[in-house]
Amino acid sequence: MDCFEITGPNRLQGRIRAAGAKNAALPALAATLLAEGTVELTGLPQVRDIDTMTRLLEHLGTRVERDPDDLGTLRFLPSGSTVSDDADYDLVKTMRASILVLGPLVARLGHARVSLPGGCAIGVRPIDQHLAGLEALGAKVTLEHGYVTARCDRLVGNRFRFSVPTVTGTENLLMAACLARGTTVLENCAREPEVIDLARLLTRMGAQISGAGESRLEIQGVDSLGGARHQVIPDRIEAGTFLVAAAITGGDVELEGSAPADLAPLLEALAGAGCTIDTGPSSIRVAAGEPLRSCSIETAPHPGFATDLQAQFMALMTQATGRCSIHETVFENRFQHVPELVRMGATIQVDGGYASVEGPTPLSGSHVMATDLRASASLVLAALVAEGTTVVHRIYHLDRGYEGMEEKLRTLGARVVRTTE
Ligand code: EPU
């Protein structure tokens, strides 16, 4: 297993480019199952979740062509008729987003069997809304032996209201509705930029969608979808992580190729913490505030503060003057980084969905354990300012979603090496 050895303190300075968004790329890959022509996706990040989803598509019968000169481009060729409708446990267990193949498979083939993804480190993460939505479109859904089976002749458009705005749930239903007969209206949808990007790809494939980015989506079903070329949007969570890295290290970092509007709540919080923010049409520069000030946040579905940046912001707050409150409202168990940050010297108290952080506290190099993707990122950020060497174990979590993180950190002047335990 690989780990990072980070020797601090570091001050990050320089310019880097954001990778393509993992959470936009995953539904885009799933959407290729709907197409009767070739779909070419560019700007795909080189991260493990994308490899896993690609393998799942290959397992389902898609032919995938790689471009040896551009690893971020993949071409998905339909195999005539998809060979398999069966996403088995071995592929699904490593990545919850595999559930995204359910909607496209039922819509295209009229049947699908996908392993239930199970719980994960950040919470129970049910998929009841994905299933209720498919049932509203006429699929017969059964749960048996850890698998979801969905069947229908052809999905039929309907009105469905999500009880919570779920990102992959909205994406699953959006994809399914594109091939349903008639009109589907989805209410209380997730409004994340990644949902908008998926709608853009589907529209290029011939889908008729209105309302992308709003909580009400209307989809006029079509008989078939064709090929398309599409570039996935930049990764706002990766970008946000590096901007927080600039702030926590007293540094000055410019992120190229990232959309400031998609990161507005983080930029507001960084400004509240005393940082200086400069934005261009597709660039963001953060210069750390001296001293950093405490700033309370509350996570919420987009356009609120992203839960995927909560752990990183908490690491920053350990270096800010004063006490702040961090309220996690999206997932019930997303404070797993707290005990590890405390082991490095942070003063944090957790009470239900609230964490209270008191700073600034000096952090010292320690052995810490990554538990999930974003928790791992927060430990890396803490390690950058900690005195001495921190070993972040189990960074396979990071490799799921951050492309070449250590190289990017080194470009900005950090002392980071990857070693094998
Ligand atoms: N929920 C339900 N029922 C459902 C679906 C969701 O109750 O059927 C609840 C969840 O338990 C949670 C809330 O709704 O409390 C929101 O969860 P959501 O479904 O939006 O999460 P997701 O679609 O499984 C995506 C991202 C996550 C990100 C969340 C929230 C992808 C592949 N994953 O997950 O990304 O945290 O949205 O923004 O898009 C990450 O990249 O590290 C990551 C975990």
Side-chain angles (χ1 to χ4, degrees):
M1 249 188 279
D2 285 0
C3 57
F4 276 177
E5 278 182 28
I6 302 175
T7 305
N10 296 274
R11 179 176 186 276
L12 300 196
Q13 178 149 29
R15 188 183 300 160
I16 50 168
R17 174 162 284 277
K22 164 182 87 77
N23 289 349
L26 290 169
L29 262 70
T32 67
L33 288 168
L34 293 165
E36 286 177 17
T38 300
V39 178
E40 182 177 290
L41 298 177
T42 58
L44 296 170
Q46 306 300 295
V47 297
R48 223 187 49 232
D49 275 7
I50 300 303
D51 296 340
T52 308
M53 187 61 108
T54 305
R55 269 192 292 131
L56 178 55
L57 294 181
E58 286 178 320
H59 167 82
L60 294 171
T62 304
R63 197 147 62 79
V64 183
E65 280 183 4
R66 291 161 175 86
D67 180 347
D69 297 325
D70 177 5
L71 298 174
T73 295
L74 291 177
R75 301 179 78 228
F76 300 85
L77 287 71
S79 59
S81 64
T82 305
V83 194
S84 169
D85 67 343
D86 192 333
D88 70 11
Y89 178 67
D90 280 343
L91 282 163
V92 173
K93 71 177 179 200
T94 60
M95 190 184 64
R96 292 187 48 82
S98 312
I99 195 67
L100 283 167
V101 301
L102 181 64
L105 285 177
V106 194
R108 179 86 195 278
L109 304 176
H111 47 90
R113 184 171 175 269
V114 178
S115 171
L116 280 166
C120 76
I122 62 175
V124 180
R125 300 182 78 181
I127 54 159
D128 57 298
Q129 293 301 297
H130 303 232
L131 305 185
L134 286 174
E135 280 177 333
L137 299 188
K140 189 169 168 1
V141 177
T142 48
L143 297 179
E144 246 176 18
H145 310 299
Y147 280 80
V148 185
T149 304
R151 289 192 168 275
C152 63
D153 291 333
R154 183 179 173 187
L155 295 174
V156 181
N158 198 352
R159 177 186 164 276
F160 179 74
R161 183 177 177 81
F162 292 98
S163 66
V164 281
T166 150
V167 177
T168 50
T170 302
E171 292 164 347
N172 232 339
L173 265 284
L174 172 60
M175 290 188 280
C178 288
L179 289 182
R181 189 173 350 108
T183 305
T184 299
V185 174
L186 300 175
E187 290 169 348
N188 198 24
C189 294
R191 292 180 284 161
E192 268 66 3
E194 292 75 17
V195 177
I196 302 176
D197 198 45
L198 173 65
R200 219 176 277 139
L201 165 62
L202 292 167
T203 303
R204 290 200 171 117
M205 288 161 59
Q208 293 183 19
I209 300 165
S210 61
E214 293 162 26
S215 55
R216 182 183 184 277
L217 283 168
E218 188 167 322
I219 304 115
Q220 190 67 50
V222 295
D223 289 338
S224 64
L225 292 170
R229 295 174 77 174
H230 180 72
Q231 172 156 18
V232 299
I233 52 171
D235 196 316
R236 64 194 167 103
I237 306 302
E238 187 213 24
T241 303
F242 278 96
L243 295 176
V244 176
I248 198 173
T249 61
D252 185 343
V253 170
E254 182 169 353
L255 246 297
E256 288 181 323
S258 69
D262 291 347
L263 275 165
L266 174 72
L267 299 184
E268 216 172 277
L270 287 172
C275 298
T276 306
I277 321 284
D278 280 317
T279 58
S282 64
S283 68
I284 308 171
R285 180 175 168 190
V286 168
E290 305 232 357
L292 281 166
R293 294 191 300 264
S294 282
C295 178
S296 294
I297 56 153
E298 178 171 284
T299 65
H302 194 77
F305 191 103
T307 173
D308 287 346
L309 286 167
Q310 175 261 109
Q312 299 90 316
F313 196 78
M314 189 186 294
L316 175 65
M317 287 299 100
T318 69
Q319 301 307 298
T321 305
R323 180 191 287 267
C324 73
S325 150
I326 294 187
H327 185 193
E328 171 59 56
T329 72
V330 179
F331 290 111
E332 68 277 17
N333 189 23
R334 214 172 192 182
F335 284 145
Q336 299 214 19
H337 41 289
V338 171
E340 299 302 281
L341 291 174
V342 168
R343 292 181 61 244
M344 296 177 76
T347 305
I348 307 171
Q349 258 148 20
V350 172
D351 183 5
Y354 290 86
S356 161
V357 187
E358 187 150 3
T361 45
L363 301 180
S364 60
S366 320
H367 283 264
V368 289
M369 194 76 83
T371 48
D372 70 72
L373 176 55
R374 309 304 170 186
S376 317
S378 91
L379 300 180
V380 169
L381 298 186
L384 289 171
V385 278
E387 192 71 45
T389 298
T390 298
V391 183
V392 185
H393 296 273
R394 298 197 181 169
I395 54 156
Y396 60 85
H397 290 291
L398 267 181
D399 293 334
R400 289 187 47 201
Y402 285 95
E403 175 183 290
M405 189 183 220
E406 69 270 36
E407 281 107 43
K408 286 187 175 174
L409 287 171
R410 279 198 294 264
T411 303
L412 298 173
R415 285 169 293 167
V416 185
V417 287
R418 178 187 286 262
T419 56
T420 304
E421 295 179 61

